[in-house]
Amino acid sequence: MEIVKVEGLRKSYAAKEVLKGIDFCAEAGDIIGVIGKNGAGKSTFLEILLTLRSYRHGTVHLFGQELNEASEKQRGQIRQQLSAVLQPTQFYRTLKVIELLKLFKVYYKSPLDVEKIMADFKLDDHRKTYFDKLSGGWKQIVSLAIAFLAAPKMLILDEPTTGLDPHMRNMLWTYITDYNKRTGGTVILTTHNMDEVELYCDRVMLLNDGVAEVFDTTGRILESGYKSIHDFYITQVAK
Ligand SMILES: Nc1ncnc2c1ncn2[C@@H]1O[C@H](COP(=O)(O)OP(=O)(O)OP(=O)(O)O)[C@@H](O)[C@H]1O
Ligand SMILES: [Mg+2]
């Protein structure tokens, strides 16, 4: 089942065109990495998928509904099926970690168990810490835990592993791949870590100067002669 279909998407900020005609699709159960240089347009693309940014040209279908043609009610229904972690993340500063999770459980009407999520994300030692007082990496972990708490059909993660230590990064990827296998949820993420793309992503979209230069499976990219996805990336962006 097709979850996302994007055709000819263009986006400008004032006179500057940032996305110059993107075609993209994601099926249920895909894990897709969006890569490219700083300023290539990755976050802009993800924010459009999240219905947070407007666009004038092209079409974006989410769960079969074109976003520009959707009513406010339909947009609301689409948003209920999505979850995201964008950077920088800020939550109610004066709530403790456990209070935040409990609040979002009610808000999402989530069937998931807060204590299980606390344990899965190794948050027990921080349950009574105010969000404001957490280190950057732990703030990121709490944001991710809350995103998973929504039990979404699609997860959109903008540099989810930036700032995480190797152990937490590994834990997060285990959680992402497990969520993906268990629920068939789709994951679209950006990262500057090409090893993660090679290890965990089914497909890769390389954005360069607002154009999707390559959109293919990691397997086919590697078969085409690159030693690694890192090698592919360096070769492509140096062109
Ligand atoms: N709100 C905005 N108003 C004007 N220009 C913007 C805005 N947001 C982003 N841009 C510009 O659009 C371009 C793409 O930005 P975007 O944040 O999408 O890039 P990115 O690929 O996510 O980069 P990074 O890897 O550094 O996160 C950049 O040139 C940026 O300066
Ligand atoms: Mg970005």
Side-chain angles (χ1 to χ4, degrees), residues 39 41-44 158-159 190 192:
K42 303 179 298 295
S43 296
T44 301
D158 200 353
E159 298 189 33
T190 67
H192 290 295

Side-chain angles (χ1 to χ4, degrees), residues 107-146:
Y107 173 66
Y108 290 145
K109 303 187 185 77
S110 172
L112 301 186
D113 179 25
V114 165
E115 291 303 331
K116 167 104 174 46
I117 297 257
M118 289 286 291
D120 286 345
F121 283 83
K122 318 262 184 286
L123 281 166
D124 282 327
D125 289 348
H126 298 291
R127 63 191 296 127
K128 293 193 175 158
T129 311
Y130 288 99
F131 184 78
D132 206 23
K133 303 274 184 254
L134 291 169
S135 72
W138 280 104
K139 281 186 178 145
Q140 179 77 347
I141 297 281
V142 172
S143 315
L144 289 158
I146 288 171

Side-chain angles (χ1 to χ4, degrees), residues 13 16 18 36-45 53 159 192:
Y13 292 113
K16 185 176 176 189
V18 175
K37 289 193 249 188
N38 292 125
K42 303 179 298 295
S43 296
T44 301
F45 179 66
R53 284 205 186 277
E159 298 189 33
H192 290 295

Side-chain angles (χ1 to χ4, degrees), residues 137-203:
W138 280 104
K139 281 186 178 145
Q140 179 77 347
I141 297 281
V142 172
S143 315
L144 289 158
I146 288 171
F148 278 101
L149 185 61
K153 288 218 174 85
M154 178 161 86
L155 253 179
I156 294 195
L157 305 172
D158 200 353
E159 298 189 33
T161 55
T162 299
L164 299 190
D165 70 50
H167 171 68
M168 293 312 281
R169 185 178 298 194
N170 192 47
M171 183 216 81
L172 174 63
W173 274 111
T174 306
Y175 207 87
I176 291 176
T177 46
D178 183 59
Y179 150 82
N180 169 260
K181 285 205 192 84
R182 223 171 357 94
T183 69
T186 303
V187 184
I188 302 174
L189 64 111
T190 67
T191 177
H192 290 295
N193 185 321
M194 296 304 128
D195 295 344
E196 291 179 352
V197 174
E198 184 165 336
L199 274 170
Y200 303 113
C201 293
D202 306 310
R203 281 191 290 156

